[in-house]
Amino acid sequence: MWKLEIAEGRGPWLFSTNKFIGRQIWKFDPASGTSEERSQIEKLQENFSLHHVKASSDMLKNFQLIKENHVDLNIAPVRLEEHEEVTSEKVTIALRKAFRFISATQACDGHWPSENSGPLFCLPPLVMVLYLTGTIGTVLSSEHKKEILRYIYNHQNMDGGWGFHIEGHSTMMNTTLNYIALRLLGEGPEGGKDGAVEKARNWILDHGGATMVPSWGKAYLSVLGLYEWSGVNPMPPELWLLPSYLPFSPARIWSFMRNFYAPLSYLYGKKCVGPITELILSLRDEIYTQPYDKIDWNKARHLCSKEDIYLPYHMVQLLLWDSLYYITEPLLTCWPFTKLREKALQIALKLVHYEDENTRYLTQGSTGKVLNMMACWAEDPTSDSIKFHLARVPDFLWLAEDGMKMQLNGGSQLWDTVLTTQAIIASDLTYEYGSTLRKAHEFIKQSQIQENPSGDFQSMHRHISEAAWTFSTQDDGWQTSDGIAESLKAVLLLSQIPAEIVGETIEAELMYDAINVLLSLQSKNGGFTAWEPVRGHQWMQNINPTELFGAAAIEREYVECTSSAIEALVLFSQSYPGYRKKEIETSVAKAVQFIEDSQMPDGSWYGNWGICYTYGTYFALAGLAAVGKTCCNSQIVRKACQFLISKQQESGGWGESYLSCPNLEYRHLAEGNCSHLVQTSWAMMGLIHAGQAELDPQPLHKAARLLINSQMESGEFPQQELSGVCLRTCIIHYAAYRNIFPLWALGQYRKHVLSHSQ
C-alpha cells in the first residue's frame, strides 16, 4: 500500500537546509495495510471515475493521516432549514467539526500536505526526461507507472484528447505530450481501456498532427527526437551575453520565464537530441499526418493548433524570429562566431547549475525541474547533477484517488499552512486545539529562509531572500511576497496567543529582516510583485514568450500580493511601531492607492492567483479594511460590495467559472445556479471586511447557511471545480482550499456578523 512520508531524506544525493521539514513523498510498501484498508483504497479509486468533479479530494492522504492522528470525527452534523435562523451555537458546532477534520489531517512536522496540481503539461515531460536518462525503470516502479497511467486515463476527455488543465478542452500540446507519455510508459498503440490510446492518436491526426504543437511543445519533442530543431523558432543562448541593463537581456524577464529560457536556450544551442530508439521511430510514424522525412520543418515553425492558442504571436515577433532563423543562426555556425555560441552556452549552463544548487535541485517549479534535468543530461549523462536531480523527483509526485500526478512547485506546504493557521485563529477555538497551532507555528518558523542565495547572487539575477518565506518549503529557496506577508500575519497573530499554548514567536530581528525583503518587492506604482522587483519595461509584455499564457513576459504587480502586504505591514506596525515607521506608512499608503486605482468599472478586481473576480475582490477588500476603509466611508468599497452582491445566487452562494480568467470578464459556473463553496467563502469574507453586516447582513446569513448545510459528516467540505489560476490560462487545483476557506469564513461570520447582530 502507498504511504506518505513526511520530512524524510536519506541518501548521498539529497541535501537540505532544514532537515527536510515540509518534504512529502509517497512510497509504496507491498506489505503495509490490511486487506480491508487496501479494499477501501481501491473503492476510493474506483469511485473517482464516477464523480463528475474532475479534481481529486485528496482522499488517500486524508485516509492515512486521520488514522495516524487518532482524531475522533464523530460530531453530530448541523443542518438548517431554509428560513431557520443561523445561530452562534450552530455555527460553533460546524466550526468544531471543520477544525477537527483540519486537525486530523495535519502532518507530524506541522504542515498540511495537499495536492497542488491541475495542469496536464507537467507530468509527460518528466516521463520524457526519465526515458532520456535511461532511469524510467529505476525511478518509476511498476506501482508508480500504474498510478501515473490511472491519472492520465482519468483525465482524458471524451473526444480522446487532454486539456491544458483537467477541466479544459482538448489541446494539441497536452494530447501529444500525454500520448507520448503513455507510449513511453509501455502502453501499446492500441492500449488503454476502450481503445483510449487509439482515440488519443486519432485526435492528434484529426487536428493536423504534431507539427501543430505550440513552440514550447516543439522543444520537448525535439530533445526526444520526435521533431527537428530546424522546425523550432530560434531560442539563441547568445542573449545571455547581453548586459543586464539592455532591454532585451533575459535578466529583465519574469523569473519563471528566465529559468525556463536558460536550460531551453542551452538545449537549442546544442541542438540536443536523445537516442533514436525503435519506440521513437514508431512514434514518429504515429503522431504525424505524413512521413517524418517528408515534413517541411521550416514551414512547421509557425504552425500552432487553434485549440492551443491564447495569445497569437504578433507579426513583428514572427519577423524577428525569421530574421534570427535565416540570418543569425547560420552566421553563428561559422567561425569565429561559433566562439560566441560556446561562451553563451557556458553562461546558460552556469545559470542552470546555480538554480539547481540554490534550490536543492527542486528548481522554481515543475517545468524548470524537467528542463534543468534535460540540460544537465545534455551536458553529461553521467554527471552528479543528474543524480541530485533524480533524488528529488519524488518531491514532485503526488498520489490521490485519481492517480499519481506532478505537483506544480513540489507542493504548497507553506502557503497552505499559513492560511490554515489564520483560519483556525479566526475560529476562536484556539484554546481548545492549541497543540495543532503549536505544530503549525513550529513549521512556519522552521520554514523561514536563513540566508540569501549563494555567492554573487545579483549577477545570477537573483534577489535577496534572507528571512523570507517561500511558497512550499525552505529548501525551495525562492522568496514570494505573499508567502512573506501571509507568514508574517500568521506569526503576528500567534504572538497574541499565550506562548504556553502555541509556542514562542520568532525573534524580532528575523521579523525585521522579513519586513525588509517584503518592502523591497514594492514598485513605484505602489503595487507589490510576487518574486522579485520589476526589471523589464512594460512594452516587453507585447513580446509574448509563448502562445499559451497571458502576461508572462515580465514580473508585474498583483492586487493579491499588495493586499497581503498591506495587512502584514499594518499588523506588524501595531506590534513593532518603532521599526521603519515612516517608510511603512508611506508603503501602505502607496499600496492602498494601487489597489484603488486597479478597481474595474463594475467594482471588482481581477484575480491573478484565484478564480477570478471573486478572488481578487476578496483580497482587495481585505487590504482596504486593514486601513479602515469600509462601505461606510469609501465609495470604492461600496461599489465592490454591490458587485459581489449582484453575483450572489438564490442558494446564497457564489459560483464563478475559470473562463473568467482567460476571457477577462465575469462568467458564472456552467451549471446555472451552481455555487462554489470556496468562492462563497471568499465573497463572504470580502463582504465582512467591507462592513456589509452593518448595512444588510442577510446576504451573509444566506451564505453561512449554505456553507453549514454543505458540510459533510466528517467535518470536511466537498471538492468542487478548480479554484486557482496563474497566467490567465493555467488553472490550478489547491486541494486544501475546500477546507481552509469555509472554516475561515464561518469563523469571521460568527465573530463579526453574529456578534454584531446580537
Side-chain angles (χ1 to χ4, degrees), residues 432-497:
E432 296 182 33
Y433 302 100
S435 61
T436 299
L437 280 178
R438 177 183 283 269
K439 287 166 62 179
H441 193 186
E442 189 61 29
F443 174 79
I444 297 169
K445 290 188 289 185
Q446 291 291 328
S447 299
Q448 191 174 21
I449 299 174
Q450 298 302 305
E451 58 187 12
N452 289 321
S454 63
D456 183 7
F457 60 87
Q458 291 178 324
S459 70
M460 304 305 286
H461 319 304
R462 287 291 301 269
H463 189 60
I464 58 172
S465 61
E466 184 178 353
W469 279 274
T470 69
F471 180 74
S472 55
T473 64
Q474 187 187 106
D475 280 342
D476 169 284
W478 270 93
Q479 71 287 338
T480 63
S481 64
D482 46 358
I484 299 167
E486 296 297 336
S487 296
L488 282 169
K489 286 167 59 183
V491 296
L492 287 164
L493 290 170
L494 285 163
S495 71
Q496 298 172 11
I497 303 171

Side-chain angles (χ1 to χ4, degrees), residues 90-109:
K90 294 196 172 182
V91 174
T92 302
I93 295 172
L95 285 170
R96 283 202 173 96
K97 284 178 66 67
F99 187 92
R100 196 165 291 188
F101 183 84
I102 289 279
S103 182
T105 52
Q106 186 180 29
C108 59
D109 67 353

